[in-house]
Each structure stands twice: as C-alpha cells, then as structure tokens.
Amino acid sequence: MVRLAWPVRPLPDGRGEMWRWRLTGLAELPAARAGLRSLLCSYGYPPEGEDPSSEQLILAFDELASNALRHGERPVVATVVAGSGGWLLDVSDRAPGSMPAPTVDRDPAHGGMGLQLVARLSVAHGWYVDEDRKHVWACLPTEADQAGAALA
C-alpha cells in the first residue's frame, strides 16, 4: 500500500479575525460547526448551503477536527483565521509523534479520505510540531473557484 505524505510545513503567517474552539470529544463537533456557520453569517457570508466556499471551510474544519479527535490526543484546538485572502484553518492535538497519514488504495466507502479531501479543497496545506502539540493546517480560498493563494 502506498502512503501519501501530508507535507511538513510551518503555519503561514495568518492575520485577521480569529475564532477558536477547544474540543474534548466528537459529540462537540455539531455545536462547533454551528458556531462557525453562525460566525460566517455574522460576517456577511450566506446561510447554509448558499455559499460553496463557506461549506468547504466547514467541511475542512469538520474533517481535520474529527481526525484529531479520533487519532490524536485531547484536547483538540481548532482555529480559523479569517484573513484578507482566505481562511487559515489550524487544528492541533497533543500527539506530536503521530504525523497525518492520508490513505490511498482504499475504497472511499470505508472512510479515511478526509485528508485527501482537505488537500483538494485547499490552496496550501501542511503540518508541524510546536512543543507538545501537532498542528495540521490548510488554507482555503473565500471564493470556491479562486485559484490564487488563500492568504495574501
């Protein structure tokens, strides 16, 4: 079985409005998604289902946070930075010794495809270790069809 590497890269310099969730279990994810959706609406993004870029951000948030809760060590901290050129999503956990490991050669019906999905949605992605925390991050554009860099 071939393994794809999630690249080791430092977190981009993200400046902007920051939103953060501290998660201790999968049961908290629906409320965190709802909170993110509410924040997006308060900043003028259309409600659920009407804006593809918002839906992609929420999907990436859910995938990275659920991976950290399933495969990392708690607590998990999920941070979204609303920058001038896009969204910077950073999810950290207390398992610095376990790198993100995208699966390949697997039937998508069996799950485990979240990292590949996030990589496809993002314009840049990576991970790094900072002291006792592993950070997995992705930059997503604010426009679903935007081809440029997510953060200016």
Side-chain angles (χ1 to χ4, degrees):
M1 176 183 281
V2 177
R3 286 202 123 160
L4 294 176
W6 191 267
V8 177
R9 292 184 183 150
L11 188 69
D13 182 20
R15 294 186 179 104
E17 184 73 26
M18 184 183 302
W19 308 319
R20 182 168 283 148
W21 292 263
R22 186 175 186 274
L23 305 167
T24 58
L26 288 168
E28 297 171 349
L29 274 177
R33 284 192 311 267
L36 177 54
R37 193 177 309 279
S38 176
L39 286 165
L40 290 170
C41 285
S42 72
Y43 276 82
Y45 287 89
E48 184 174 351
E50 294 181 25
D51 178 41
S53 65
S54 295
E55 293 304 310
Q56 290 174 359
L57 172 62
I58 291 167
L59 177 59
F61 176 93
D62 187 65
E63 290 293 338
L64 293 186
S66 64
N67 276 356
L69 287 164
R70 286 185 179 102
H71 307 293
E73 291 184 33
R74 300 168 187 182
V76 168
V77 177
T79 304
V80 175
V81 178
S84 61
W87 308 108
L88 174 58
L89 171 60
D90 174 49
V91 178
S92 67
D93 66 57
R94 294 180 47 98
S98 65
M99 65 180 252
T103 58
V104 294
D105 299 332
R106 182 183 201 165
D107 183 346
H110 296 291
M113 307 300 286
L115 289 175
Q116 290 96 319
L117 177 64
V118 173
R120 286 191 182 115
L121 295 175
S122 66
V123 295
H125 61 278
W127 74 285
Y128 68 98
V129 172
D130 182 26
E131 296 181 14
D132 65 343
R133 299 192 69 82
K134 172 183 68 217
H135 293 257
V136 179
W137 60 268
C139 295
L140 292 102
T142 54
E143 301 291 328
D145 59 353
Q146 183 177 345
L151 293 175

